[in-house]
């Protein structure tokens, strides 16, 4: 499942909150790496905290990316995520310029549920055979 969830808020809050989260790919599998992008409305001075599943980070270093991430000049903050378990996970973003980008018990300002599946079994290919695989691939295409 891929997509973006757009969060709207009252005018006094909307200018400082992340507005959406997207994740690369269309199907998501355990052990594969994906890019999470948080789309902000204003430039952050403190960074954005990105967490997976409600309050799973016990301290800032447990956040995706190892701590709050500053958005680039295009107001996008990106971080890599490699799911380790199958199931539905919730990506959460906290803050843009709304203060410290760490949850501290605050609700997330944007969330996105992502379904993660067990990686499909490899059917194998001749190219995966060490040394001989590349030779066979060239001979038999």
């Amino acid at each position: 499942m891929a997509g973006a969830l757009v969060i709207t808020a009252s005018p006094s809050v909307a200018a400082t909150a992340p507005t959406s989260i997207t994740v690369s790919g269309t199907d998501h599998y355990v052990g594969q790496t994906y890019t999470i992008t948080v789309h902000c409305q204003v430039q952050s001075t403190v960074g954005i905290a990105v967490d997976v599943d409600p309050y799973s980070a016990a301290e800032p270093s447990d956040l995706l990316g190892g701590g709050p991430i500053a958005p680039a000049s295009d107001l996008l903050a990106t971080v890599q995520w490699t799911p380790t378990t199958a199931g539905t996970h919730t990506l959460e973003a906290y803050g843009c310029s709304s203060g410290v980008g760490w949850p501290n018990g605050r609700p997330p300002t944007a969330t996105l549920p992502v379904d993660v599946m067990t990686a499909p079994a490899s059917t194998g290919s001749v190219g995966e055979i060490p040394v001989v695989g590349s030779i066979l691939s060239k001979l038999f295409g």
Side-chain angles (χ1 to χ4, degrees), residues 70-89:
S73 60
D74 59 3
L75 304 181
L76 301 177
T78 60
V79 65
Q80 300 297 304
W81 174 48
T82 305
T84 58
T85 59
T88 300
H89 298 280

Side-chain angles (χ1 to χ4, degrees), residues 57-141:
E59 54 187 74
S61 62
D62 294 335
L63 296 166
L64 293 180
I69 302 152
S73 60
D74 59 3
L75 304 181
L76 301 177
T78 60
V79 65
Q80 300 297 304
W81 174 48
T82 305
T84 58
T85 59
T88 300
H89 298 280
T90 302
L91 301 175
E92 301 175 331
Y94 302 84
C96 261
S97 60
S98 61
V100 177
W102 162 248
N104 285 335
R106 294 189 328 231
T109 49
T111 62
L112 178 68
V114 178
D115 291 323
V116 176
M117 299 171 280
T118 302
S122 173
T123 58
S125 72
V126 72
E128 294 176 2
I129 302 171
V131 181
V132 180
S134 63
I135 296 168
L136 293 174
S137 292
K138 289 177 185 176
L139 290 174
F140 300 106

Side-chain angles (χ1 to χ4, degrees), residues 1-99:
M1 175 180 129
L5 175 66
V6 177
I7 305 294
T8 58
S10 66
S12 63
V13 175
T16 60
T19 55
S20 66
I21 304 173
T22 58
V23 61
S24 63
T26 53
D27 293 323
H28 302 101
Y29 297 99
V30 170
Q32 300 295 312
T33 300
Y34 303 97
T35 299
I36 297 170
T37 304
V38 178
H39 308 258
C40 289
Q41 292 183 354
V42 296
Q43 187 61 37
S44 173
T45 58
V46 295
I48 297 156
V50 181
D51 198 4
V52 178
D53 297 322
Y55 301 109
S56 64
E59 54 187 74
S61 62
D62 294 335
L63 296 166
L64 293 180
I69 302 152
S73 60
D74 59 3
L75 304 181
L76 301 177
T78 60
V79 65
Q80 300 297 304
W81 174 48
T82 305
T84 58
T85 59
T88 300
H89 298 280
T90 302
L91 301 175
E92 301 175 331
Y94 302 84
C96 261
S97 60
S98 61

